[in-house]
Amino acid sequence: MMMLWGCKCFHWSSVSDLLQPQSESFSLPAPLPDWQQGGGFADGTIKLGVLEVSHVTKFELIWGCNLSGDKKKGFSFYKPVGIPDGFFSLGHYCQSNEKPFRGFVLVAREVFNSELGDPSIDNLRLPALRSPEGYTLVWSSDDASEENFDGCGYFWLPQPYEGYKALGFVVTNKPEKPKLEELKCVRADLTDECEVYNLLVHTTSKFSQVPFGVWSTRPRHRGMLGKGVSTGSFFCSSYWSHGEELDIVCLKNLDCSLHAMPNLDQIHALIRHYGPTIFFHPEEVYLPSSVSWFFRNGALLYKRGESSGQAIDASGTNLPAGGSNDGEYWIDLPCDSGRESVQYGNLESAKLYVHVKPAIGGTFTDIAMWVFCPFNGPATLKVGLMNIALSKIGQHVCDWEHFTLRLSNFTGELWSVYFSQHSGGKWVDASDLEFFEGNKAIIYSSKSGHASFPHPGIYIQGSSGFGIGIRNDAARSDYYVDSSKQYEIIAAEYLGDGVIREPVWLQFMRKWGPTIVYDSRTEMDRIIKRLPLMFRYSVENVFTKFPMELSGEEGPTGPKEKNYWIGDERS
């Protein structure tokens, strides 16, 4: 879990002392095109069943605090403004002052949906939205004196009537309770569980020393099949601990049609507009290729118990489909003189393999882009100022890496990008990306290992604080693939059967590469003995934390066998 910052003492700031968010707001480098019409994509509102939601990006600053008087080192709380007629707020918004302002909260209204069945007759008699019964004060920066309250913040939890749930908090800069009509609670059957995500703030009151934390939230049930819808609000508490149930929930999308998802023409338009350029390191040896090029140039299918491999058809039609990763079959490089040349890939044939799927209950679209490399090269160990090229550790046949674009289905705007990095990865907001030609982000692929990063540099997998670990070098070069042009859509299940013809090789659920176990400890011990005494213990400790992929050679499974093919990204 990421913590932006925390401290024990803040400078509470009056509203007039803080910058208005519009003065530092973020927008993409180029204007959005008029997306091709069809369905409900980029219509501005999304129907979730008996509720219709719109996202609001205009806010009024309510209260904030900062460190040492520096307005950038703090956080601010906002209420949505410019809410469309008939819609109601569900909660307020929080954002760090260190980033350009870019946020949203959902507002909702009830709509009639004759096609939506509801098993509860009693629920049909209750309105979908209802004002709270009252509010409970969760925390305040106030010291209870009679001084001017303009610099104090008060955090209120709505108290819903029976059968309803609260979805967010209200922040005020006065001690009086908010008006009941400040927001709405939602009927319980229209909600889903949420969970804390990033810790935004951890602080205490100036005088009472009562602890206080603020977290961003996300739906607990995510991924392609998840129905949870984030409202954009936050969770806060003085005494909450992990594992306890939250006082708020998120929305649930009960509209199975996913009408706000893009159609096929819109998918192509989105890829042409946002498709990133992937830059490989200038010293990269193991470049990508298309899967068909790999098959045509001698890739072999092996079966357990048989010593020789079988040539694979260019489209993979003779690969066993379905099943599980049971070790019965695997793919390997050619065993003749062409083995080495195939390892180096073929940049001219390379393309991105695209999987399009709903995210956050169908209010966002994830465009996952997979890149295939015939070989993953050995790693380089960094120890302080020393760099040690490893002979085998880290290498394996075939490499599948990916990154994912997350787009708002309200507007079609790029919201964030997920960068896959070996056994993990991270989401990066659009405001933190580098762009190349309009709204096309840059993806930097690391040397030999092909992990993706948002910026050039040296990234350490291990103990970055001590400068000890596996190097991931990322830089721009003349080796690149433009995914806005070089792509193939391989899956978009929500479009229905027959719309996208999945390639045969996608159904191969076994390893794309043999498993070779070797004594990596011998090489590690040899390296440790060469190091100065002051580094040996630290390096040995880091070695014990290396992922299993560094202890031998093991080919990866294909994209569809990954749990995040259906589930959410690992973050």
Side-chain angles (χ1 to χ4, degrees):
M1 178 169 293
M2 177 181 68
M3 184 169 76
L4 296 183
W5 44 263
C7 70
K8 293 185 177 179
C9 183
F10 284 103
H11 294 262
W12 316 122
S13 301
S14 66
V15 174
S16 60
D17 289 339
L18 292 169
L19 295 174
Q20 292 298 316
Q22 288 81 0
S23 63
E24 299 181 10
S25 60
F26 169 81
S27 59
L28 292 169
L32 299 185
D34 292 328
W35 306 112
Q36 300 180 35
Q37 296 299 309
F41 179 71
D43 271 358
T45 63
I46 296 176
K47 290 184 175 64
L48 305 180
V50 297
L51 287 180
E52 182 179 27
V53 293
S54 177
H55 81 153
V56 172
T57 57
K58 293 183 179 180
F59 296 90
E60 174 187 332
L61 182 60
I62 299 300
W63 180 79
C65 62
N66 44 61
L67 279 166
S68 305
D70 184 352
K71 295 176 182 178
K72 296 292 185 182
K73 300 290 185 180
F75 61 95
S76 299
F77 294 87
Y78 307 85
K79 66 178 293 184
V81 296
I83 297 175
D85 290 342
F87 287 81
F88 298 93
S89 172
L90 303 173
H92 286 186
Y93 176 72
C94 172
Q95 180 172 313
S96 165
N97 297 341
E98 294 185 281
K99 292 187 175 183
F101 188 86
R102 188 186 192 228
F104 76 93
V105 293
L106 295 189
V107 294
R109 70 175 178 181
E110 185 171 3
V111 294
F112 177 73
N113 190 336
S114 60
E115 297 180 357
L116 185 68
D118 191 322
S120 172
I121 301 299
D122 290 337
N123 277 345
L124 291 176
R125 297 172 183 167
L126 295 175
L129 302 170
R130 188 175 183 181
S131 296
E133 189 173 7
Y135 294 93
T136 298
L137 182 65
V138 175
W139 183 83
S140 171
S141 63
D142 179 19
D143 64 348
S145 70
E146 296 182 359
E147 65 184 39
N148 191 328
F149 291 109
D150 193 36
C152 297
Y154 303 84
F155 292 76
W156 305 90
L157 173 66
Q159 296 301 307
Y161 284 93
E162 184 178 357
Y164 290 82
K165 297 283 188 179
L167 283 83
F169 292 79
V170 174
V171 182
T172 66
N173 51 30
K174 301 292 184 182
E176 294 79 21
K177 287 187 177 183
K179 296 179 180 180
L180 295 180
E181 58 267 25
E182 180 69 27
L183 54 63
K184 296 291 186 182
C185 298
V186 177
R187 206 173 67 206
D189 62 300
L190 307 178
T191 67
D192 206 353
E193 294 178 288
C194 69
E195 64 184 21
V196 297
Y197 183 32
N198 290 329
L199 176 60
L200 304 176
V201 179
H202 184 261
T203 183
T204 56
S205 175
K206 284 193 297 184
F207 298 95
S208 66
Q209 296 298 302
V210 175
F212 181 62
V214 178
W215 293 261
S216 64
T217 64
R218 63 183 182 181
R220 176 162 293 170
H221 306 118
R222 301 185 305 280
M224 191 164 69
L225 305 179
K227 295 183 178 182
V229 174
S230 174
T231 64
S233 190
F234 59 88
F235 171 74
C236 63
S237 178
S238 290
Y239 298 104
W240 178 83
S241 61
H242 288 285
E244 293 182 6
E245 184 177 349
L246 302 189
D247 296 319
I248 61 172
V249 294
C250 65
L251 292 171
K252 180 188 290 187
N253 190 351
L254 298 176
D255 186 347
C256 297
S257 70
L258 296 174
H259 72 282
M261 291 293 294
N263 61 32
L264 185 56
D265 289 337
Q266 291 166 339
I267 291 173
H268 285 293
L270 290 166
I271 295 174
R272 288 193 295 267
H273 185 77
Y274 289 120
T277 296
I278 304 94
F279 284 100
F280 295 86
H281 194 273
E283 297 178 6
E284 182 61 80
V285 175
Y286 305 106
L287 291 165
S289 75
S290 68
V291 171
S292 60
W293 180 91
F294 177 60
F295 290 165
R296 287 197 308 268
N297 281 269
L300 298 173
L301 172 67
Y302 283 84
K303 183 177 181 179
R304 183 160 53 187
E306 298 181 2
S307 58
S308 59
Q310 176 187 358
I312 302 173
D313 179 83
S315 59
T317 54
N318 59 328
L319 291 174
S324 62
N325 180 29
D326 54 11
E328 281 296 311
Y329 297 90
W330 64 90
I331 294 173
D332 202 352
L333 297 166
C335 58
D336 56 19
S337 58
R339 182 180 181 88
E340 185 173 350
S341 62
V342 172
Q343 283 184 354
Y344 300 143
N346 179 263
L347 193 62
E348 291 73 22
S349 70
K351 63 174 71 173
L352 277 296
Y353 296 99
V354 177
H355 179 208
V356 187
K357 55 183 178 178
I360 316 298
T363 56
F364 285 82
T365 294
D366 276 2
I367 300 181
M369 293 189 158
W370 292 84
V371 61
F372 171 76
C373 297
F375 198 77
N376 188 100
T380 298
L381 177 66
K382 180 175 177 60
V383 182
L385 297 178
M386 294 181 292
N387 296 294
I388 304 170
L390 304 178
S391 61
K392 290 183 178 181
I393 296 176
Q395 74 177 22
H396 54 81
V397 173
C398 294
D399 195 22
W400 280 107
E401 295 288 352
H402 79 287
F403 55 88
T404 299
L405 312 182
R406 179 157 288 179
L407 310 169
S408 168
N409 287 349
F410 291 98
T411 61
E413 184 179 2
L414 174 66
W415 206 254
S416 57
V417 175
Y418 181 81
F419 291 80
S420 175
Q421 297 160 359
H422 305 300
S423 57
K426 66 175 183 177
W427 285 104
V428 176
D429 292 338
S431 60
D432 292 330
L433 299 173
E434 294 182 22
F435 289 92
F436 181 76
E437 294 183 356
N439 293 333
K440 299 174 182 178
I442 294 177
I443 309 292
Y444 293 94
S445 178
S446 66
K447 180 176 177 288
S448 297
H450 313 122
S452 57
F453 295 93
H455 305 288
I458 299 174
Y459 299 85
I460 303 299
Q461 182 183 0
S463 178
S464 57
F466 291 100
I468 300 173
I470 297 298
R471 282 182 60 138
N472 288 272
D473 292 71
R476 191 181 297 202
S477 74
D478 292 332
Y479 303 136
Y480 65 88
V481 178
D482 181 354
S483 69
S484 69
K485 299 175 181 177
Q486 296 163 263
Y487 71 92
E488 176 185 344
I489 300 174
I490 58 172
E493 292 90 343
Y494 72 91
L495 291 177
D497 295 338
V499 178
I500 300 296
R501 184 178 180 182
E502 297 185 1
V504 177
W505 55 259
L506 186 61
Q507 314 307 321
F508 181 70
M509 308 302 283
R510 278 85 172 188
K511 296 285 188 182
W512 289 62
T515 298
I516 302 174
V517 179
Y518 50 75
D519 187 7
S520 59
R521 185 71 207 182
T522 300
E523 184 173 3
M524 292 178 181
D525 288 341
R526 187 167 59 249
I527 292 170
I528 291 172
K529 290 178 181 178
R530 292 168 50 193
L531 297 174
L533 290 175
M534 60 183 295
F535 285 116
R536 290 184 183 180
Y537 175 78
S538 297
V539 172
E540 188 167 13
N541 187 48
V542 170
F543 276 163
T544 62
K545 300 177 181 178
F546 281 169
M548 289 298 295
E549 65 188 76
L550 298 179
S551 63
E553 295 184 33
E554 186 174 37
T557 52
K560 202 168 187 177
E561 202 275 335
K562 313 291 188 186
N563 58 11
Y564 41 87
W565 178 268
I566 293 177
D568 197 14
E569 301 288 0
R570 298 168 295 187
S571 62

